[in-house]
Amino acid sequence: MTDYRPVKVQSFPKLGEKVTKDTSYWKNFKAPIQIKEFGAVNKIDFSPIPPYNYAVTASSRIHIYGRYSQEPIKTFSRFKDVAYCATYRDDGKLLVAGSEEGIIRLFDTSGRAALRQFDGHTKAVHVVGFLSDKFRIVSGADDYTSKVWDISSASEIVSYNEHTDYVRCGCTSKLNADLFVTGSYDHTVKVFDARAEKSVMTIEHGQPVESVNLFPSGGLLVTAGGRYVKVWDFLRGGQLLVSLRNHHKTVTCLCLSSSGQRLLSGSLDRHVKVYSTTSYEVVHSFNYAASILSLALAPEDESLVVGMTNGILNVKHRKHEGGRGLLQQRRRPAYRTFVKGKNYIPKQEDFFVSKPVKTHLKKYDKLLRGFQVSKALDAALQDFRSTRKKPPEVIVTVMQELNRRGTLKNALAGRDEKQLSVLLSFLIRHVTDARFAPVLINVAEMIIEIYRPVVGQSSVIDRQFLELQNLIEKEIDLQEELLEVLGMMDALFATMARKPIPQDKNNTDGL
């Protein structure tokens, strides 16, 4: 009896994303580090000076983490209620934060106690930041006001009461020490000059504004609210340049890469989108386990830190090519050891001893070898049921092998409600895939033929049959539309074909 040959899984063309420079760049991160905070992470801010520590605001605490530390190296906990928006000054020496109690606190990063306390807001302060002159602070609160404070005297310089709803986001200009921007739930973004008594520009976003960000050049402003990310031109009086709608839920945070050529947006739909700032197309996307409230990039894009609603801080560090090259150098002797003697040609007087190679069979191969076709199909489907991320090529290959043997109908018959439900779920998920359609349509026809007499006995199976029917009907309609479009294109190409140029009779006669 000949040895059993294992089923060879057929390789199908992959329909994955196109590999570009952006995908290679943004995928070049190590496995993420998960850090559990005490509450939802509402702000992450990197220090602008080495070693580039970052401040994480969550619950009633501000934690300072080192670049590669998983434990906070410093904690500011002088808050009676929730803290908001801890932000570094440009020199990295001071840190300012708002709070639910309406008080703004200024901290020295080398100490623990608050250096200054600013009282004046009557409700929660969600927005704080330093103006670029380093001596003034900007704040925005739920009392609809925006204020400018003097650090040295802890006094209020000017107050603006132009918003008609909560002020929840803001940013300051790096080029102009008097310019800052605030966004509010009244759907507007206002640009203020600290030297003027009222706003100098008002922009209508159209949705409650969750985040604003100025480009390094100071000429473009990005706003996020609802499902929209919008880019505005300052130099043209706040003209809308582009409106992006790539998220399925509210966009909560914005961030620019160190070069300013990529824009990142985080959303409650658990995704971070990366846009090109030239074409404003999505060049990459990250997927997370929970809704995203905040994100930040380290200088030179060395680390990506994302804060989520469940209190998880997700930290990704970039891989370094130098370490990989060193690792490859260390592995070279082991490689030479393993290939040693592979090219040796035995001589005539040598006695050749062959070592039997033991083949390890998969579970479905063992069952197929014993002609247990139904159990073999169940073994292949078991992987699909346990983890849906597993590619379906194995299941389709087993079905092809059973069809080649002529035992596919026997393997599909005699199934209970649970087994049939798993099989129908697989068909519903992959029957419209062009790679597997020829095999799975044949399987679907056999299932309908076998289980037609028992239709109506199970509501679960009936619902899956109806879903499969609707899916196939939609696919047929789509194929018909595509055939119509193909016919139109053929007619169009036929009319565009180059016609032969008629020759002049007089010229031909003369010749």
Side-chain angles (χ1 to χ4, degrees):
M1 185 175 178
T2 59
D3 293 334
Y4 172 80
R5 292 184 180 180
V7 175
K8 186 177 180 181
V9 178
Q10 186 176 355
S11 60
F12 293 90
K14 293 184 178 181
L15 303 178
E17 61 181 352
K18 184 180 179 181
V19 178
T20 62
K21 290 183 178 179
D22 279 288
T23 56
S24 301
Y25 181 79
W26 293 106
K27 280 188 175 181
N28 191 28
F29 286 102
K30 299 177 184 178
I33 299 170
Q34 306 278 356
I35 302 173
K36 178 63 178 175
E37 287 289 339
F38 291 94
V41 182
N42 61 72
K43 176 69 175 181
I44 304 166
D45 191 51
F46 273 91
S47 173
I49 61 171
Y52 304 119
N53 299 332
Y54 56 95
V56 177
T57 312
S59 185
S60 60
R61 303 184 182 189
I62 301 171
H63 286 155
I64 307 296
Y65 289 91
R67 187 73 170 273
Y68 298 102
S69 66
Q70 299 184 27
E71 295 292 334
I73 59 177
K74 184 170 289 187
T75 300
F76 299 103
S77 56
R78 303 297 179 93
F79 296 91
K80 297 179 181 178
D81 210 330
V82 180
Y84 296 111
C85 196
T87 306
Y88 278 101
R89 197 167 71 171
D90 287 345
D91 56 7
K93 295 181 179 180
L94 296 181
L95 188 74
V96 65
S99 65
E100 185 69 29
E101 54 201 290
I103 299 173
I104 304 168
R105 291 178 173 85
L106 183 69
F107 299 94
D108 186 349
T109 54
S110 61
R112 291 188 181 275
L115 296 178
R116 294 282 189 277
Q117 182 171 303
F118 304 87
D119 300 310
H121 288 289
T122 58
K123 291 187 179 180
V125 181
H126 285 264
V127 184
V128 286
F130 291 94
L131 289 173
S132 56
D133 61 4
K134 303 180 183 179
F135 302 112
R136 289 176 294 174
I137 291 174
V138 175
S139 64
D142 286 353
D143 58 6
Y144 308 164
T145 64
S146 304
K147 298 178 184 290
V148 180
W149 309 83
D150 180 62
I151 293 178
S152 58
S153 62
S155 60
E156 178 184 314
I157 299 175
V158 63
S159 178
Y160 302 97
N161 192 11
E162 297 191 23
H163 285 292
T164 59
D165 209 332
Y166 300 153
V167 181
R168 288 296 175 90
C169 57
C171 62
T172 59
S173 173
K174 302 295 183 183
L175 302 179
N176 190 329
D178 297 299
L179 200 67
F180 66 95
V181 182
T182 59
S184 169
Y185 279 7
D186 62 5
H187 300 189
T188 64
V189 175
K190 292 187 179 291
V191 183
F192 294 96
D193 190 324
R195 298 165 293 186
E197 297 181 355
K198 60 180 182 179
S199 62
V200 296
M201 187 183 299
T202 300
I203 295 172
E204 182 69 32
H205 180 80
Q207 301 282 339
V209 184
E210 298 285 351
S211 182
V212 294
N213 206 329
L214 272 171
F215 273 67
S217 63
L220 297 178
L221 173 70
V222 188
T223 62
R227 295 170 57 189
Y228 295 90
V229 176
K230 297 184 179 182
V231 183
W232 313 82
D233 191 343
F234 260 7
L235 304 180
R236 296 184 180 180
Q239 180 182 349
L240 178 64
L241 292 182
V242 64
S243 179
L244 309 172
R245 188 182 174 184
N246 298 99
H247 287 282
H248 301 296
K249 292 185 179 179
T250 301
V251 183
T252 55
C253 48
L254 296 170
C255 177
L256 280 169
S257 65
S258 56
S259 64
Q261 297 180 357
R262 295 294 180 264
L263 172 68
L264 283 75
S265 64
S267 168
L268 296 180
D269 64 4
R270 304 181 293 109
H271 285 84
V272 171
K273 304 284 186 183
V274 184
Y275 306 89
S276 167
T277 54
T278 54
S279 62
Y280 294 106
E281 294 181 351
V282 177
V283 295
H284 193 68
S285 180
F286 295 95
N287 188 17
Y288 289 88
S291 299
I292 298 167
L293 287 182
S294 55
L295 68 94
L297 270 173
E300 303 301 326
D301 303 338
E302 284 294 319
S303 302
L304 173 63
V305 186
V306 172
M308 291 172 271
T309 54
N310 59 357
I312 295 295
L313 192 69
N314 186 291
V315 185
K316 293 181 179 180
H317 297 294
R318 189 167 294 280
K319 298 176 183 177
H320 294 286
E321 298 296 332
R324 184 185 301 176
L326 183 62
L327 190 63
Q328 288 179 351
Q329 288 179 1
R330 290 175 182 173
R331 288 178 178 173
R332 281 178 185 171
Y335 175 76
R336 289 197 295 268
T337 302
F338 281 114
V339 300
K340 186 177 181 180
K342 290 288 184 180
N343 298 326
Y344 177 76
I345 301 175
K347 299 177 181 178
Q348 188 175 2
E349 62 271 13
D350 289 341
F351 182 76
F352 182 74
V353 179
S354 62
K355 185 179 179 181
V357 179
K358 185 178 180 180
T359 58
H360 297 277
L361 298 178
K362 301 285 187 182
K363 186 177 180 180
Y364 56 83
D365 274 320
K366 294 178 182 178
L367 294 168
L368 284 173
R369 185 174 61 178
F371 302 101
Q372 302 180 42
V373 291
S374 183
K375 290 183 178 180
L377 183 57
D378 288 338
L381 287 169
Q382 186 177 3
D383 295 334
F384 170 76
R385 186 166 60 241
S386 60
T387 167
R388 299 216 168 208
K389 292 184 179 179
K390 187 177 181 67
E393 284 85 351
V394 174
I395 304 173
V396 176
T397 303
V398 171
M399 290 178 176
Q400 280 182 316
E401 175 65 17
L402 293 173
N403 190 40
R404 185 186 67 83
R405 296 184 178 193
T407 57
L408 180 57
K409 185 175 284 190
N410 296 336
L412 297 173
R415 295 181 171 271
D416 57 17
E417 180 183 356
K418 186 177 180 180
Q419 293 173 329
L420 184 58
S421 178
V422 173
L423 192 56
L424 288 174
S425 298
F426 179 79
L427 287 176
I428 290 169
R429 186 172 181 132
H430 298 290
V431 72
T432 56
D433 193 326
R435 299 173 297 170
F436 316 127
V439 178
L440 296 185
I441 289 175
N442 184 32
V443 172
E445 290 176 350
M446 289 185 180
I447 291 176
I448 293 171
E449 181 183 351
I450 294 170
Y451 295 98
R452 183 183 298 169
V454 296
V455 170
Q457 297 182 10
S458 170
S459 59
V460 177
I461 300 301
D462 293 346
R463 185 167 60 251
Q464 287 183 311
F465 270 124
L466 289 174
E467 187 177 354
L468 182 62
Q469 179 185 359
N470 295 331
L471 191 66
I472 292 176
E473 287 177 353
K474 288 181 181 178
E475 184 67 18
I476 291 173
D477 293 338
L478 179 63
Q479 294 291 340
E480 290 177 351
E481 292 179 5
L482 290 175
L483 287 174
E484 291 178 3
V485 173
L486 186 60
M488 295 176 187
M489 293 176 65
D490 288 340
L492 184 61
F493 291 148
T495 57
M496 292 174 62
R498 191 172 182 179
K499 297 180 180 179
I501 301 174
Q503 295 182 351
D504 193 354
K505 291 184 177 180
N506 297 327
N507 292 340
T508 55
D509 294 340
L511 294 172

